[in-house]
Amino acid sequence: MSSSQKPGILKPKKQIELFSANYFAACTLGGIIACGPTHTSVTPLDLVKCRRQVNPSIYKSNMQGWSKIIKTDGFRGIFLGWSPTFIGYSFQGAGKYGAYEVFKYYYGEKLFPNTNKTLVFLGASATAEFIADCFLCPFEAIKVRMQTTDPPYARTLREGWSKVVSKEGVAGLYKGLVPLWGRQIPYTMVKFATFETAVSEIYRQLGNPKESYGTLAQTGVSFLGGYIAGIGCAVVSHPADVMVSKLNSDRKPGESAGRAMSRIYGNIGFSGLWNGLPVRIVMIGTLTAFQWLIYDSFKVTLGLPTTGGH
């Protein structure tokens, strides 16, 4: 064995050609696996967070919220909204990660090869999220209505979908698209650009190139970089997250999005846009860290390199 072939060092198997159609398809599948299950796993946190955003006095704490929900609806009650969450964020993960890899390659290597890398990360992630939210929006609209109303607007995805379409038409599923873009696009720009920057800085601090570390170390760096990115995501996108919750639960028939947001802001004020932030930092930080860990671990199993650090 030569000195360059150290045991445990990650060596991409080249089973899938980088930047080929199969590579981008693999990244899309990795995004589904990373986003759908992770978002679904934090449904209990999301449920209490959404209700406290809409009505800050409903629960004194997360524990009290879960206790009340379990007492009323049983243990399954704290997972209310899991089905639109799973399907919606699986679609979103496909668009977010898959499209990000596509646009990062084409913006950075084909269209603007001499552009600052951070600008490439920001542009690619914004474009990817714009597309991904078109898939997420209908499911997010149903999830928010289920989680922010008492009694729940619906208890299943099918029931919620049927109610919205029968009363408001398909347009009712997309009435929150603009504020969703307002929440998710900055969120994803911070998520990907911060992750890429954090991973590069971690390897710089370690003092050796990424390729000199083994699989476990590289995915560990992905996890740490993901958590750092998640904290930034939570803070940047939280006001829009509150507004999306309020808009889906408190928009009057025939009211424009702009008028509804103005009325809601008048009711809750600037401080109201930050309700539930500590919970969201924990939720999004952990969520983002595990998403990057799962995504890069999936890439490694296919013989592909982990993201960032180049």
Side-chain angles (χ1 to χ4, degrees):
M1 180 180 295
S2 67
S3 59
S4 62
Q5 295 176 310
K6 300 177 183 178
I9 299 302
L10 180 63
K11 294 289 185 181
K13 301 174 183 177
K14 304 294 185 182
Q15 294 175 338
I16 297 176
E17 182 183 353
L18 291 180
F19 313 123
S20 64
N22 286 339
Y23 171 78
F24 294 128
C27 294
T28 300
L29 179 58
I32 293 173
I33 296 170
C35 289
T38 52
H39 274 279
T40 305
S41 70
V42 295
T43 298
L45 264 176
D46 195 31
L47 173 61
V48 173
K49 174 200 63 102
C50 285
R51 289 184 175 179
R52 294 182 76 182
Q53 285 176 339
V54 173
N55 180 8
S57 63
I58 189 171
Y59 308 126
K60 293 181 180 179
S61 66
N62 294 338
M63 291 301 297
Q64 185 196 52
W66 293 323
S67 177
K68 283 188 173 182
I69 294 168
I70 292 172
K71 186 177 294 184
T72 303
D73 298 319
F75 185 75
R76 69 177 183 177
I78 62 174
F79 284 91
L80 180 69
W82 75 267
S83 52
T85 297
F86 179 75
I87 296 175
Y89 282 93
S90 291
F91 278 130
Q92 189 225 26
K96 175 183 290 188
Y97 282 87
Y100 173 72
E101 297 282 5
V102 171
F103 289 113
K104 182 172 73 169
Y105 173 68
Y106 279 99
Y107 289 170
E109 302 295 330
K110 298 293 186 180
L111 299 180
F112 313 106
N114 298 317
T115 302
N116 178 275
K117 284 187 176 182
T118 300
L119 292 179
V120 172
F121 301 149
L122 291 170
S125 57
T127 309
E129 189 60 42
F130 181 89
I131 296 169
D133 287 346
C134 295
F135 297 101
L136 170 64
C137 189
F139 301 96
E140 181 75 356
I142 294 169
K143 177 193 81 75
V144 169
R145 293 188 192 206
M146 291 171 67
Q147 292 183 334
T148 57
T149 52
D150 189 22
Y153 178 82
R155 293 192 177 276
T156 66
L157 171 59
R158 179 180 296 181
E159 181 188 1
W161 191 286
S162 178
K163 278 189 174 182
V164 173
V165 172
S166 64
K167 293 179 180 179
E168 304 173 43
V170 175
L173 296 170
Y174 285 91
K175 73 179 186 181
L177 181 58
V178 172
L180 185 63
W181 277 331
R183 181 189 80 184
Q184 289 296 130
I185 290 177
Y187 171 100
T188 300
M189 292 172 72
V190 171
K191 174 178 180 174
F192 283 86
T194 303
F195 173 82
E196 298 264 14
T197 302
V199 167
S200 294
E201 180 61 22
I202 291 169
Y203 284 118
R204 191 181 75 81
Q205 291 294 328
L206 290 173
N208 292 303
K210 167 182 166 179
E211 291 74 18
S212 66
Y213 296 97
T215 303
L216 184 61
Q218 288 193 33
T219 52
V221 169
S222 295
F223 182 85
L224 178 57
Y227 210 101
I228 294 169
I231 294 172
C233 292
V235 175
V236 167
S237 64
H238 193 72
D241 184 62
V242 173
M243 188 58 71
V244 168
S245 295
K246 296 287 287 184
L247 192 65
N248 276 293
S249 65
D250 190 30
R251 185 173 174 181
K252 298 177 181 179
E255 189 176 35
S256 69
R259 186 178 295 275
M261 287 189 284
S262 177
R263 175 178 58 80
I264 290 168
Y265 182 80
N267 292 334
I268 66 175
F270 181 76
S271 62
L273 293 174
W274 300 98
N275 288 333
L277 178 59
V279 177
R280 194 158 186 263
I281 286 176
V282 173
M283 184 181 82
I284 297 300
T286 305
L287 193 72
T288 304
F290 275 104
Q291 283 179 356
W292 280 111
L293 176 64
I294 293 168
Y295 179 67
D296 275 350
S297 295
F298 178 75
K299 289 173 72 175
V300 165
T301 64
L302 297 181
L304 297 170
T306 56
T307 310
H310 301 292

